[in-house]
Amino acid sequence: MQFIDLKAQYERIESEVRARIEAVLQHGQFIMGPEVGELEERLADFVGVRHCVGMSSGTDALLAAMMALEIGRGDEVITTPFTFIATGEMIALLGARPVFVDIDPVTYNMDPAKLEDAITGRARAIMPVSLYGQCADMDAINAVAERHHLPVIEDAAQSFGASYKGRRSCGLSKIGCTSFFPAKPLGAYGDAGACFTDDDALAKALREIRNHGQDRRYHHPRIGLNARLDTMQAAVLLAKLDIFGDEVDARSRLGRRYTELLTARGAGSTELGGDAVLTPFVHPDNVSVFAQYTLQVPDRDSVAEKLSASGVPSAVHYPVPLNDQPVFHVGLPGEETPVGARVAQRVISLPMHPYLTEETQLKVVDAVAAATGLAGS
């Protein structure tokens, strides 16, 4: 059993992928070839914004977004501790300080109710993460940001294709950033990412930053990066984009089916802690792409071991909040963000991809029930 089955996807689109790659090999424009521009236009249209700027990775997309906003040493960027290291890492790389706001106990995204208290005179941006494929509560976050005249950067590395109140992830704030790492909902065959914005000046800055800060050849008005989206990866993404709508629908359907099956066995959805097995809660305003299908379980290590013995792979996203990582650590473990600390001890992700069969899902649910003592095990 595969945790993410990229081979099944490739078998569906093999001829399209090969044709796209062959076209790049024939024209030989391996850096900033025509596929990059074509992909950017299609992605911008998909999200519903004026500009998509392809980047070499989701991590570089976050870095370039903050550089375009001129965030630097001594500034503060408010974010969540319950995410991959790249979110806080890029803030620190610019000399800024990540300020961690605790998460909502049921969606695991930034808790907007706790956001305002974290804002100081040094704050320069707010960076929520749309975790596990579900958008953060962007209207509430944007409202706080507007009161304090702060831009919002959505870290949408896991939520490309998701929607919030009928609008697409990456089109919900001043800048949206996503990743096309192979395991993401829309994945390349290597590192890739993108920034999205409706702001013409920011789009121009982002295009300069990704190409060494130049606005024309050998003319550099700003410090930049080597962060261009590779033409070959753009070609792969164009082939995958043709079926992406189907895959988004499949992810949503399969996520709901997991929840229905587990709920029938006695799993809950919204109570934090205890001995309960908790399924993901998707807010009624949201459509999740389930980049991960993540449960809370008691005694996670034991559950993971039992799942493995049953032939079911699992993963943990994420076992240590960023403010408890050695590079950022402040205070006692879990002291600043107790909800994030508690959730990090209990989360476990199950196999999830658009090509899961009903038979495989039933096997996974049976293994979870047996490993956790749910009814019907």
Side-chain angles (χ1 to χ4, degrees):
M1 185 186 301
Q2 299 295 313
F3 188 75
I4 297 172
D5 194 346
L6 295 178
K7 183 177 179 182
Q9 181 195 55
Y10 178 64
E11 289 173 350
R12 178 181 177 184
I13 57 173
E14 179 179 359
S15 60
E16 291 84 358
V17 170
R18 287 181 175 275
R20 284 285 188 177
I21 290 175
E22 180 63 25
V24 176
L25 294 173
Q26 288 297 325
H27 66 58
Q29 298 177 56
F30 300 112
I31 304 297
M32 297 302 293
E35 286 80 4
V36 174
E38 180 185 352
L39 178 68
E40 288 175 335
E41 289 183 10
R42 289 185 60 184
L43 291 176
D45 183 65
F46 178 84
V47 170
V49 296
R50 286 203 297 272
H51 305 284
C52 168
V53 182
M55 295 283 172
S56 53
S57 70
T59 300
D60 284 336
L62 293 175
L63 181 62
M66 287 185 283
M67 291 173 70
L69 293 168
E70 299 183 349
I71 292 167
R73 190 163 302 280
D75 294 333
E76 293 179 349
V77 178
I78 301 164
T79 191
T80 167
F82 196 54
T83 180
F84 183 59
I85 186 67
T87 310
E89 182 182 35
M90 292 302 98
I91 297 169
L93 189 65
L94 288 172
R97 174 176 174 260
V99 176
F100 298 109
V101 171
D102 210 354
I103 60 173
D104 180 276
V106 294
T107 67
Y108 313 141
N109 287 323
M110 178 186 284
D111 187 343
K114 299 174 181 174
L115 176 55
E116 199 134 22
D117 288 343
I119 296 174
T120 73
R122 292 181 176 271
R124 290 292 310 280
I126 300 170
M127 188 184 290
V129 176
S130 294
L131 196 73
Y132 296 155
Q134 175 172 206
C135 294
D137 189 353
M138 297 299 290
D139 282 357
I141 292 168
N142 284 331
V144 175
E146 187 174 351
R147 286 198 295 273
H148 293 269
H149 308 290
L150 296 172
V152 176
I153 304 167
E154 182 193 11
D155 181 343
Q158 298 180 14
S159 61
F160 192 76
S163 59
Y164 169 84
K165 298 183 180 180
R167 295 172 289 151
R168 297 279 193 189
S169 182
C170 289
L172 305 171
S173 61
K174 181 66 96 174
I175 305 176
C177 301
T178 198
S179 168
F180 301 125
F181 183 79
K184 302 299 184 184
L186 178 62
Y189 288 160
D191 281 314
C195 294
F196 297 81
T197 186
D198 275 321
D199 188 305
D200 296 344
L202 282 177
K204 180 177 184 295
L206 287 164
R207 292 190 178 100
E208 292 170 2
I209 288 166
R210 74 171 173 188
N211 194 20
H212 298 286
Q214 66 180 11
D215 59 358
R216 56 188 184 274
R217 192 164 175 80
Y218 298 131
H219 187 263
H220 305 265
R222 64 177 75 240
I223 295 295
L225 307 166
N226 180 4
R228 299 174 298 244
L229 173 62
D230 185 81
T231 304
M232 199 69 81
Q233 299 305 332
V236 171
L237 287 165
L238 283 166
K240 290 192 174 192
L241 194 55
D242 291 336
I243 62 167
F244 187 55
D246 289 347
E247 292 187 338
V248 168
D249 292 343
R251 284 178 172 277
S252 182
R253 183 183 70 253
L254 290 164
R256 289 195 304 269
R257 186 167 187 267
Y258 257 144
T259 297
E260 290 166 0
L261 292 170
L262 288 161
T263 300
R265 300 291 186 96
S269 63
T270 59
E271 293 182 9
L272 180 65
D275 293 327
V277 175
L278 303 181
T279 58
F281 173 80
V282 178
H283 195 278
D285 289 334
N286 287 344
V287 174
S288 176
V289 287
F290 288 101
Q292 287 85 29
Y293 186 89
T294 303
L295 303 175
Q296 283 194 53
V297 297
D299 195 4
R300 178 177 61 206
D301 290 346
S302 173
V303 170
E305 188 175 314
K306 291 174 182 177
L307 290 177
S308 180
S310 299
V312 174
S314 64
V316 177
H317 311 281
Y318 297 93
V320 181
L322 295 193
N323 52 325
D324 288 338
Q325 291 287 354
V327 70
F328 295 126
H329 182 62
V330 290
L332 298 173
E335 181 181 44
E336 288 190 327
T337 56
V339 179
R342 175 61 174 161
V343 169
Q345 296 172 3
R346 291 173 48 87
V347 289
I348 188 168
S349 298
L350 305 179
M352 184 65 198
H353 56 83
Y355 302 96
L356 276 175
T357 64
E358 291 188 2
E359 180 182 4
T360 298
Q361 276 197 299
L362 285 171
K363 180 178 179 180
V364 172
V365 169
D366 285 344
V368 170
T372 59
L374 286 175
S377 59

